[in-house]
Amino acid sequence: VQLQASGGGLVQAGGSLRLSCVASGRFFLINGMGWYRQAPGKERELVAGITPGGESNYQNSVKGRFTISRDNAQNTVALQMNDLKPEDTAVYYCNCRAKITKDSSNFDYWGQGTQVTVSS
Protein backbone atom coordinates (compact mmCIF):
# COMPACT_ATOMS: atom_id res chain seq x y z
CA VAL A 1 0.00 0.00 0.00
CA GLN A 2 1.34 3.40 -0.95
CA LEU A 3 0.00 6.59 0.60
CA GLN A 4 0.44 9.92 -1.14
CA ALA A 5 -0.34 13.00 0.90
CA SER A 6 -0.71 16.57 -0.28
CA GLY A 7 -1.98 19.93 0.83
CA GLY A 8 0.47 21.18 3.41
CA GLY A 9 1.89 24.67 3.39
CA LEU A 10 2.38 27.93 5.22
CA VAL A 11 -0.61 29.76 6.66
CA GLN A 12 -1.23 32.51 9.17
CA ALA A 13 -2.87 31.80 12.50
CA GLY A 14 -6.62 31.57 12.08
CA GLY A 15 -6.30 30.30 8.53
CA SER A 16 -7.27 27.00 6.99
CA LEU A 17 -5.63 24.15 5.12
CA ARG A 18 -6.91 20.90 3.71
CA LEU A 19 -4.78 17.80 3.63
CA SER A 20 -5.57 14.93 1.30
CA CYS A 21 -4.20 11.43 1.03
CA VAL A 22 -4.84 8.66 -1.46
CA ALA A 23 -4.00 5.00 -1.00
CA SER A 24 -2.89 2.93 -3.95
CA GLY A 25 -1.42 -0.47 -4.68
CA ARG A 26 -2.70 -3.97 -4.14
CA PHE A 27 -4.68 -4.64 -1.00
CA PHE A 28 -7.76 -6.50 0.13
CA LEU A 29 -9.22 -4.03 2.59
CA ILE A 30 -8.38 -0.69 4.17
CA ASN A 31 -9.63 -0.43 7.71
CA GLY A 32 -8.85 2.63 9.79
CA MET A 33 -7.38 5.73 8.22
CA GLY A 34 -6.00 8.73 9.97
CA TRP A 35 -3.62 11.62 10.32
CA TYR A 36 -0.71 11.91 12.70
CA ARG A 37 1.68 14.76 13.24
CA GLN A 38 5.16 15.23 14.58
CA ALA A 39 6.56 18.54 15.73
CA PRO A 40 10.32 19.09 16.16
CA GLY A 41 11.56 17.42 19.31
CA LYS A 42 8.24 15.72 19.97
CA GLU A 43 6.84 12.27 19.41
CA ARG A 44 4.43 11.50 16.63
CA GLU A 45 0.84 11.86 17.82
CA LEU A 46 -2.58 10.97 16.52
CA VAL A 47 -4.52 13.96 15.24
CA ALA A 48 -7.66 12.25 13.95
CA GLY A 49 -8.81 8.83 12.84
CA ILE A 50 -11.80 7.46 10.98
CA THR A 51 -13.24 4.00 10.55
CA PRO A 52 -14.61 2.57 7.29
CA GLY A 53 -18.07 3.30 8.64
CA GLY A 54 -17.25 6.94 9.20
CA GLU A 55 -16.81 7.02 12.95
CA SER A 56 -14.16 9.56 13.82
CA ASN A 57 -12.06 10.48 16.81
CA TYR A 58 -9.90 13.51 17.45
CA GLN A 59 -7.11 14.67 19.67
CA ASN A 60 -8.59 17.06 22.22
CA SER A 61 -6.56 20.02 21.01
CA VAL A 62 -8.10 19.91 17.52
CA LYS A 63 -11.72 19.12 18.37
CA GLY A 64 -14.04 21.67 16.83
CA ARG A 65 -11.34 22.92 14.45
CA PHE A 66 -10.36 19.88 12.38
CA THR A 67 -12.63 17.52 10.45
CA ILE A 68 -11.57 14.17 9.05
CA SER A 69 -13.40 12.51 6.19
CA ARG A 70 -12.87 9.58 3.87
CA ASP A 71 -14.10 8.24 0.58
CA ASN A 72 -13.99 4.46 0.66
CA ALA A 73 -14.60 4.12 -3.08
CA GLN A 74 -11.64 6.38 -3.87
CA ASN A 75 -9.47 5.16 -1.00
CA THR A 76 -8.89 8.69 0.16
CA VAL A 77 -8.83 10.45 3.49
CA ALA A 78 -8.84 14.19 4.05
CA LEU A 79 -8.27 16.51 6.97
CA GLN A 80 -9.89 19.93 6.92
CA MET A 81 -8.04 22.18 9.34
CA ASN A 82 -9.66 25.46 10.37
CA ASP A 83 -8.64 28.13 12.85
CA LEU A 84 -5.07 26.94 12.71
CA LYS A 85 -2.74 27.83 15.55
CA PRO A 86 1.05 28.04 15.71
CA GLU A 87 1.08 24.94 17.90
CA ASP A 88 -0.41 22.99 14.98
CA THR A 89 2.89 23.40 13.17
CA ALA A 90 4.27 19.94 12.41
CA VAL A 91 4.86 17.37 9.72
CA TYR A 92 1.56 15.61 9.11
CA TYR A 93 1.50 11.96 8.16
CA CYS A 94 -1.28 10.02 6.54
CA ASN A 95 -1.82 6.54 7.95
CA CYS A 96 -3.94 3.55 7.13
CA ARG A 97 -4.32 0.06 8.52
CA ALA A 98 -4.85 -2.45 5.75
CA LYS A 99 -5.03 -6.13 4.91
CA ILE A 100 -3.13 -7.20 1.83
CA THR A 101 -5.13 -10.41 1.47
CA LYS A 102 -8.30 -11.71 3.03
CA ASP A 103 -6.37 -13.87 5.46
CA SER A 104 -3.51 -11.51 6.27
CA SER A 105 -3.17 -9.45 9.39
CA ASN A 106 -3.66 -5.72 9.47
CA PHE A 107 -0.54 -3.67 8.95
CA ASP A 108 0.10 0.04 9.32
CA TYR A 109 1.19 2.06 6.31
CA TRP A 110 2.47 5.63 6.24
CA GLY A 111 2.62 8.45 3.77
CA GLN A 112 5.70 10.58 3.24
CA GLY A 113 4.61 13.47 5.43
CA THR A 114 3.60 16.98 4.51
CA GLN A 115 4.74 20.11 6.33
CA VAL A 116 2.18 22.41 7.91
CA THR A 117 3.52 25.70 9.25
CA VAL A 118 1.31 28.19 11.05
CA SER A 119 2.74 31.63 11.63
CA SER A 120 1.61 33.86 14.47
Side-chain angles (χ1 to χ4, degrees):
V1 179
Q2 293 81 47
L3 296 173
Q4 181 68 43
S6 60
L10 172 65
V11 65
Q12 290 187 331
S16 298
L17 283 173
R18 182 177 179 84
L19 305 181
S20 298
C21 178
V22 58
S24 62
R26 298 183 65 180
F27 49 84
F28 173 74
L29 177 67
I30 294 179
N31 286 309
M33 302 186 81
W35 291 92
Y36 288 70
R37 68 186 180 187
Q38 187 167 20
K42 295 187 177 181
E43 294 186 354
R44 190 173 298 189
E45 61 181 8
L46 175 67
V47 177
I50 188 167
T51 68
E55 294 182 4
S56 58
N57 62 288
Y58 298 90
Q59 180 189 112
N60 283 340
S61 68
V62 307
K63 285 182 179 178
R65 300 189 296 123
F66 291 11
T67 302
I68 190 170
S69 61
R70 68 185 283 174
D71 183 329
N72 293 330
Q74 300 294 324
N75 298 316
T76 59
V77 61
L79 186 69
Q80 178 66 41
M81 305 184 292
N82 298 328
D83 190 23
L84 282 160
K85 303 177 180 182
E87 51 265 41
D88 294 318
T89 296
V91 177
Y92 284 68
Y93 295 91
C94 174
N95 166 270
C96 79
R97 177 157 290 189
K99 301 180 70 171
I100 302 302
T101 67
K102 179 181 178 181
D103 297 321
S104 68
S105 300
N106 281 298
F107 288 97
D108 281 317
Y109 297 89
W110 297 90
Q112 82 282 12
T114 183
Q115 177 70 46
V116 171
T117 303
V118 185
S119 62
S120 57

